[in-house]
Amino acid sequence: MIHKVRNQIIAMAPIQATGEITLCKTGFPEDVYSAVLSRGVHEGQPLLNVNFSNCNGKRKVQYESSEPGDFKVDEDGVVYAARNFPLATEHAKFLIYAQDKETQEKWQMAVKLSLNPTIMDNPVKEPQEIEEIVFPRQLSNHNGYLQRQKRDWVIPPINLPENSRGPFPQELVRIRSDRDKNLSLRYSVTGPGADQPPTGIFIINPISGQLSVTKPLDREQIARFHLRAHAVDINGNQVENPIDIVINVIDMNDNRPEFLHQVWNGTVPEGSKPGTYVMTVTAIDADDPNTLNGMLRYRILSQAPSSSSPNMFTINNETGDIITVAAGLDREKVQQYTLIIQATDMEGNPTYGLSNTATAVITITDVNDNPPEFTAMTFYGEVPENRVDIIVANLTVTDKDQPHTPAWNAVYRITGGDPTGRFIIQTDPNSNDGLVTVAKPIDFETNRMFVLTVAAENQVPLAKGIQHPPQSTATVSVTVIDVNENPYFTPNPKLVRHEEGLRAGTMLTTFTAQDPDRYMQQNIRYTKLYDPANWLKIDPVNGQITTIAVLDRESPNVKNNMYNATFLASDNGIPPMSGTGTLQIYLLDINDNAPQVLPQEAETCETPDPNSINITALDYDIDPNAGPFAFDLPLSPPSIKRNWTITRLNGDFAQLNLKIKFLEAGIYEVPIIITDSGNPPKSNTSVLRVKVCQCDSNGDCTDVDRIVGAGLGTGAIIAILLCIIILLILVLMFVVWMKRRDKERQAKQLLIDPEDDVRDNILKYDEEGGGEEDQDYDLSQLQQPDTVEPDAIKPVGIRRLDERPIHAEPQYPVRSAAPHPGDIGDFINEGLKAADNDPTAPPYDSLLVFDYEGSGSTAGSLSSLNSSSSGGEQDYDYLNDWGPRFKKLADMYGGGDD
């Protein structure tokens, strides 16, 4: 690297350092560091990087130099020069101290600086002048040809190191034009870093053309600046064509590597072979990746825990791939490893490189290297007979693999002792126990005990190379408990055949039940549970079934000739149990039902043509006690055979026709004799109601009373009439209610003379009088006593409290006969004022006394009713003649001395 610092050119040779590092030893890895430098150093020049091993990562270390005037150490361990000075031929040596800020514990190491031998033989040249950049000569026209007066040349870029410590402004180059001898020129630069953002980094002296940098540069922000230099005269006229100046920012190792994640997580199966890939950690460095400053190397600083080998993993120092290097990964012993990974730039040079650390957490994943093992060789359980879905025993196993994984989940099988499959084993997903469950009912009388052989294995097979057997076996002893079972009928249902019509008291069959409990002495009793027609009874001891009524196949309780009855058998066990059985009685038909004509009503025309009546027979019996039927007309009365004729169509149907040419319309009852084919046959005379009516050309009745002939009976007609009557009554009640409502509404209306003025009326509904309509009464009885008696009769100064005050009558306003609508409000307000100022207007501001009986009252005295002195002389016997309402008063005053 060539640094242009003020008027000197200083060559900085690569710095070399050697040393050994002891893994995780607190302190400096080496006692002495050596560095080879050029002949001189300048202020801020980094010399070397010292490393301090901080194993627990919690120490806060502060660095110091034994010669702080010449050398300083920053917090990152970078040693740099504090001033400019030449390095003498003899070795320079100084000390670096590291002190813990909390415990004050102190460590030290020595730094030895030596001069590069190649430079010792070539002394440094004298300081050169600042490089000068001259504007190239322009082309001139000579004799019509363009001729170059001076060879054009390419200006090389200016290399400037980043993070320079100054002093600033730092001179870079001088820009000049060869015309400055004849003209007064002004120089300027443009572009990013000069007059464009970021502005002010580069400045130029307009007179001398000296280009300078004003502050330290950062390559990670801007790696290259493109400037353009201009030369103009004092009038601003361009003298030279602008030239391009490129300034390259030379990278310095000023950025530590940074891991993409502070904590990296990876997994590797247990038992993995050495060389198995685990994970990749990655760090980045903001420095130039094309230089040593950005070339990273990785290494593992520590491993925790250190079992079963302190170096179970290694890392590719260039790619960051972590792989296993030792065998013995066992999740059951160590489930997780924690590695401290260090990334160092300068290709991992511990002296000059900057480093950073991250944590790699490697989880050992489980593989099925441990089979399940039963905790006991024999398990015991018991189960009541005939019970299913009941857990008999819990089989417990242990498995060292990770819980709730296929390598830990157990699968149980019954390998012996259950040939009929009466047991199954289900796995509890939480505890991994095997639940022995009854799948089929077990009979104590058949099997009293089972000895099962069971095996347990994992859901996935064992990993290869495992020496353990793949499964574990155990024995399960199951005892069956005898319980009281239900008696059962056999056969169930039981079918018997009998003819219908059996008399009451006939024994049909014996229906008994058996008790499966052979080892229990119990008695069985029988009762009837379901007998819809109440035809049967059963003997409670021997189970004989006897009829108590006649069996009828045509009963609605018989379906498809079958009658079902249910009986109950109960034992006397503890607890008592019972069972049911069904008796099916198949009833054989006998000819006990006579046929009937169907339909029972029909209609026909007054003449034989164009229609006739088709009839059939209804017989509740079945073949051979039903059809074919024989149809005939009776001999009596003679009019039947005279008017009608019947013709048999087939075994089930016949046809009835008029025998005469005309029969008057009306309803006729035609008796028909029908005989079935039973043995012996049964005959019955049924009546067919025939309506003879007038017909149209199509043979349809046209009579008004067709509804009767169509089968509408008397009951239906009565129901229709009742509905019509009820509807009429409802309508009448509604009309009466409406009239009564209108009358009440009219009675409440105010009687207003249309000739009177329209005015607001206040209606009082709590008055005890006739209202406005009751005008025939004497108002003189309601006046105050002073209006009846003159004041001259009263004593002076004596007045009743409820008397009307004596004042002059106020003058109320009189409304005109034809007032204008606008004066109604004025009229009301004037009347209100007059009423407020009228002291005689009721109510009076005085105490009203209602029990006063003084001289001012016009009513007679009632004191005689309450006087004991006059009670004895008065005869109250006449009160008894006044009726029951005065009986109490007659008892009080007419009862004598009592």
Side-chain angles (χ1 to χ4, degrees), residues 801-874:
L801 295 177
D802 60 344
E803 290 185 13
R804 177 179 178 182
I806 301 175
H807 297 283
E809 293 293 335
Q811 297 297 323
Y812 284 91
V814 179
R815 189 181 178 191
S816 61
H820 188 273
D823 68 345
I824 295 178
D826 298 337
F827 175 78
I828 294 175
N829 292 330
E830 292 177 2
L832 179 62
K833 292 180 181 180
D836 291 340
N837 297 325
D838 184 5
T840 62
Y844 310 133
D845 294 336
S846 59
L847 179 64
L848 303 181
V849 182
F850 296 98
D851 58 351
Y852 179 78
E853 296 183 3
S855 59
S857 177
T858 57
S861 176
L862 300 178
S863 61
S864 60
L865 296 177
N866 203 21
S867 176
S868 60
S869 60
S870 61
E873 302 174 358
Q874 184 71 26

Side-chain angles (χ1 to χ4, degrees), residues 549-720:
V550 177
L551 306 184
D552 185 9
R553 192 197 66 83
E554 289 74 32
S555 171
N557 297 307
V558 178
K559 306 297 182 184
N560 298 326
N561 303 327
M562 194 76 70
Y563 181 76
N564 295 325
T566 305
F567 299 92
L568 182 69
S570 304
D571 61 19
N572 58 347
I574 301 175
M577 304 299 290
S578 61
T580 60
T582 301
L583 178 65
Q584 294 181 335
I585 305 174
Y586 188 87
L587 296 176
L588 303 176
D589 185 41
I590 62 175
N591 195 12
D592 57 345
N593 292 280
Q596 300 176 4
V597 68
L598 190 71
Q600 297 180 355
E601 295 180 354
E603 64 178 20
T604 186
C605 298
E606 294 174 330
T607 59
D609 294 329
N611 55 7
S612 59
I613 301 174
N614 293 328
I615 62 174
T616 186
L618 174 64
D619 196 332
Y620 292 104
D621 293 325
I622 59 176
D623 291 337
N625 298 318
F629 301 98
F631 301 88
D632 199 3
L633 295 176
L635 299 176
S636 177
S639 60
I640 298 300
K641 280 203 169 187
R642 183 175 64 246
N643 297 336
W644 304 93
T645 179
I646 191 167
T647 303
R648 182 180 179 187
L649 300 178
N650 54 35
D652 293 329
F653 291 91
Q655 194 173 73
L656 183 66
N657 294 291
L658 281 175
K659 190 175 183 182
I660 59 178
K661 294 183 178 181
F662 178 80
L663 183 63
E664 186 179 356
I667 297 177
Y668 298 87
E669 293 184 352
V670 181
I672 300 174
I673 301 174
I674 306 176
T675 304
D676 60 20
S677 299
N679 186 17
K682 267 190 172 294
S683 297
N684 181 35
T685 300
S686 298
V687 176
L688 176 63
R689 297 179 73 248
V690 180
K691 178 187 181 235
V692 179
C693 59
Q694 297 177 1
C695 298
D696 54 15
S697 60
N698 296 325
D700 296 329
C701 286
T702 59
D703 293 353
V704 178
D705 57 343
R706 175 181 174 86
I707 187 173
V708 179
L712 195 59
T714 305
I717 297 175
I718 294 175
I720 294 175

Side-chain angles (χ1 to χ4, degrees), residues 31 41 84 169 218 228 236 283 386 530 759 815 851:
D31 295 334
V41 295
N84 299 331
D218 189 354
R228 175 162 287 194
N386 300 324
Y530 176 71
R759 50 183 179 166
R815 189 181 178 191
D851 58 351

Side-chain angles (χ1 to χ4, degrees), residues 782-811:
L782 301 177
Q783 298 193 12
Q784 296 297 329
D786 59 347
T787 62
V788 180
E789 297 182 4
D791 295 340
I793 304 177
K794 300 179 184 179
V796 179
I798 299 177
R799 292 188 60 83
R800 287 177 45 180
L801 295 177
D802 60 344
E803 290 185 13
R804 177 179 178 182
I806 301 175
H807 297 283
E809 293 293 335
Q811 297 297 323

Side-chain angles (χ1 to χ4, degrees), residues 46 64 321 344 365 374 498 527 600 708 719 735 768 852:
E64 293 181 1
D321 294 341
T344 306
T365 58
F374 284 102
H498 289 281
T527 55
Q600 297 180 355
V708 179
V735 172
E768 298 181 359
Y852 179 78

